[in-house]
Amino acid sequence: MINSNQSVYLRGMGFMYIRFCQPPSDLWAWLEPYLDDEDTVDQRSGGGDELSFGQIAPEMLTKLDWYGTLFLRIPVPIQKDIDEKFCERNRLALESQGYEE
């Protein structure tokens, strides 16, 4: 579903399915490959609220609320691990652009 070429809405449903049904410890492995995905979807179906899947994936990993729908809480140790992985990605991105700590 998350790699569907037929519909961006089908992909969005796949992302929601992952967030609701996969163990929290597996979320990073499922969603990390899509952090740079630039395909967009209108979250409100005609409401003009377009986001790329690269914007959606981090929100699903860090937020508990998605347009009024509550996600299951990610346990604190797993959330800390996810936050550290985001920091490492950002550090590597800055290094690749020539910035140093």
Side-chain angles (χ1 to χ4, degrees), residues 1-74:
M1 283 176 67
I2 58 177
N3 293 320
S4 173
N5 292 327
Q6 295 178 4
S7 170
V8 292
Y9 295 106
L10 186 58
R11 289 188 71 199
M13 289 177 61
F15 276 72
M16 295 286 287
Y17 178 84
I18 289 168
R19 184 58 177 87
F20 276 113
C21 298
Q22 291 301 306
S25 59
D26 294 347
L27 292 175
W28 180 263
W30 276 101
L31 297 177
E32 188 270 335
Y34 301 94
L35 293 176
D36 297 319
D37 191 328
E38 295 185 7
D39 286 346
T40 61
V41 62
D42 187 347
Q43 298 298 304
R44 295 193 180 227
S45 185
D49 194 10
E50 283 197 6
L51 292 174
S52 71
F53 286 101
Q55 292 171 304
I56 292 170
E59 291 210 13
M60 289 191 169
L61 289 167
T62 58
K63 307 268 190 222
L64 293 177
D65 179 61
W66 186 257
Y67 291 93
T69 301
L70 292 177
F71 290 134
L72 299 173
R73 187 182 66 79
I74 298 174

Side-chain angles (χ1 to χ4, degrees), residues 27-28 31-32 34-36 54-63 74 78-94:
L27 292 175
W28 180 263
L31 297 177
E32 188 270 335
Y34 301 94
L35 293 176
D36 297 319
Q55 292 171 304
I56 292 170
E59 291 210 13
M60 289 191 169
L61 289 167
T62 58
K63 307 268 190 222
I74 298 174
I78 295 171
Q79 188 64 60
K80 284 183 180 179
D81 185 48
I82 289 171
D83 292 342
E84 288 173 9
K85 290 176 180 176
F86 273 121
C87 287
E88 180 66 14
R89 268 182 61 90
N90 291 339
R91 186 185 64 75
L92 291 173
L94 288 173

Side-chain angles (χ1 to χ4, degrees), residues 94-95 97-101:
L94 288 173
E95 283 180 5
Q97 295 174 3
Y99 294 101
E100 294 185 23
E101 290 184 35

